[in-house]
Amino acid sequence: RLTVPRLLVGNFSFGEELPGHRQILPYRLRRLESDLATCWDALAHERDLIWSPAVPDDRFQFRAGVVTDQEDIPPGLELTPWGWTDRLRHWGRQINAVVTAPQPEAVRTANSRLFAADRESRWRCGLEGTTLVSSLTELAARLDAIDSRTPWIVRTEFSGSARERLLAAGRNLTPPQRGWLQKRFAHNKPLIWEPWVERITEVSLHWTIPSHATPRFDGLTGLVTDTLGRYRGSLFGTAAPPLEEWSEALDLTGRLAAELQQLGYFGPLGVDALRYRDLAGNIRVRPLQDVNARWTMGRLSLGWIQRVPGGLWRHGTPQELQQAEIDGRVLHRTSPERIGNQQVKHSTWIEPPA
């Protein structure tokens, strides 16, 4: 049991704020933060409080308390955000919370795809052909070297699984694709070009990095995505893939955790690893597919082991949840139907593994 209760804050727009461009969150992101706030209940303790921007349906039972008014937040709680941003540090001090955060530059470095790409290059564990491009001219040169049907992806420094990325194929760019690229190149940061490979299996490896002690491995979860690589759920507990099948990823993510600690980062670290088939048909492993120096849904899913030995923590629409209930696949609903007097657009539930 933690000695200091936590204030769990789901600033799920964390990735949008890292580049430093966005000041005011658009409605869609504010709504997403409301819908997902209750996901913290997976690992919350009874004395913790979950911050929710809108009032959840009171028929839904939470393990922790839920607070929706800043005036109702007691002082002295340990601020635990999804990811550390300047906005959250400032807000935490305003509400007299305990703010123990790594330096902003350490957080940016730990979440930078450019940093991860550099480590993949040094450790020879990335996708063959990965290239940094800083202009349309450099990108055109890279595309000239591929087959006309080869799928590829371009990511920005702080892109997510389905955010700030361009998925395309072949050598020719459409006008919308060209416009998207020109807008990103204007920020004077290189973009990361990668071949789009055939996914076989994905997992997430979860670490806790203390400020001084040795980083601790907390567990592995299976990563469920759609055909475009967008997150759809996590396999946890007895449903998770065997750890021994991912020994290379365990070794390299541990090495990465130790290096990030040396650079001043401390806190949660989730690294997605990918088993894939390359263009020649060979099966390979990419240990550092996505590096997230923040909380992740996979990490939260480990908390459900206290209630369910194992399963698939599914994320989807209310319509998908309804169909899963009709099919008898829902073991446990993990989100309310309504938040802020509106039906949620993002539902979560636990299914038995397939």
Side-chain angles (χ1 to χ4, degrees), residues 123-342:
W123 301 344
R124 301 181 184 278
C125 63
L127 295 179
E128 185 176 352
T130 297
T131 307
L132 301 186
V133 292
S134 298
S135 67
L136 285 173
T137 301
E138 291 183 4
L139 176 60
R142 184 67 191 84
L143 296 182
D144 282 344
I146 67 172
D147 183 90
S148 60
R149 293 169 296 180
T150 299
W152 50 269
I153 188 169
V154 165
R155 305 177 190 271
T156 63
E157 181 177 11
F158 297 110
S159 70
S161 60
R163 174 183 51 77
E164 282 297 296
R165 67 175 201 172
L166 175 65
L167 184 60
R171 303 189 185 110
N172 299 318
L173 298 172
T174 65
Q177 290 170 346
R178 187 175 293 271
W180 187 93
L181 289 161
Q182 286 175 325
K183 183 177 179 181
R184 272 72 185 176
F185 284 135
H187 293 151
N188 296 317
K189 281 277 192 175
L191 304 181
I192 303 149
W193 184 95
E194 299 171 353
W196 183 258
V197 295
E198 179 188 346
R199 286 167 158 76
I200 297 174
T201 314
E202 293 178 88
V203 298
S204 299
L205 296 100
H206 308 288
W207 292 82
T208 294
I209 304 177
S211 55
H212 295 98
T214 303
R216 181 185 75 240
F217 179 65
D218 294 317
L220 176 145
T221 54
L223 181 59
V224 179
T225 61
D226 65 14
T227 55
L228 296 179
R230 294 174 297 199
Y231 179 74
R232 288 295 178 262
S234 295
L235 291 159
F236 64 91
T238 55
L243 179 59
E244 54 268 24
E245 295 180 0
W246 296 90
S247 57
E248 179 186 358
L250 180 62
D251 290 344
L252 280 178
T253 55
R255 182 177 175 183
L256 178 68
E259 183 161 340
L260 292 178
Q261 184 185 56
Q262 289 296 314
L263 294 173
Y265 177 76
F266 57 89
L269 174 70
V271 184
D272 298 340
L274 170 69
R275 178 168 285 114
Y276 66 96
R277 194 183 313 276
D278 66 17
L279 296 178
N282 302 308
I283 296 177
R284 299 181 180 275
V285 171
R286 186 185 188 186
L288 309 181
Q289 163 85 353
D290 287 303
V291 177
N292 300 297
R294 55 167 172 80
W295 292 83
T296 64
M297 289 299 173
R299 187 183 189 89
L300 294 192
S301 76
L302 294 174
W304 294 123
I305 296 173
Q306 300 177 44
R307 307 185 208 185
V308 183
L312 167 62
W313 190 28
R314 183 76 166 80
H315 288 235
T317 65
Q319 292 75 26
E320 289 173 311
L321 169 57
Q322 184 179 38
Q323 186 60 53
E325 289 182 318
I326 292 172
D327 296 341
R329 291 184 284 113
V330 176
L331 296 177
H332 185 58
R333 291 184 65 142
T334 57
S335 62
E337 293 182 25
R338 301 180 68 83
I339 294 179
N341 293 320
Q342 297 183 57

Side-chain angles (χ1 to χ4, degrees), residues 108-123:
R108 285 175 58 85
T109 298
N111 286 283
S112 168
R113 284 191 179 274
L114 295 175
F115 176 82
D118 178 75
R119 292 308 177 271
E120 284 189 312
S121 176
R122 292 188 187 191
W123 301 344

Side-chain angles (χ1 to χ4, degrees), residues 21 47-48 70 81 85 106 109 130 246 292 328 343:
H21 305 307
R47 297 170 60 218
D48 293 335
Q70 184 171 315
T85 64
T109 298
T130 297
W246 296 90
N292 300 297
Q343 184 182 34

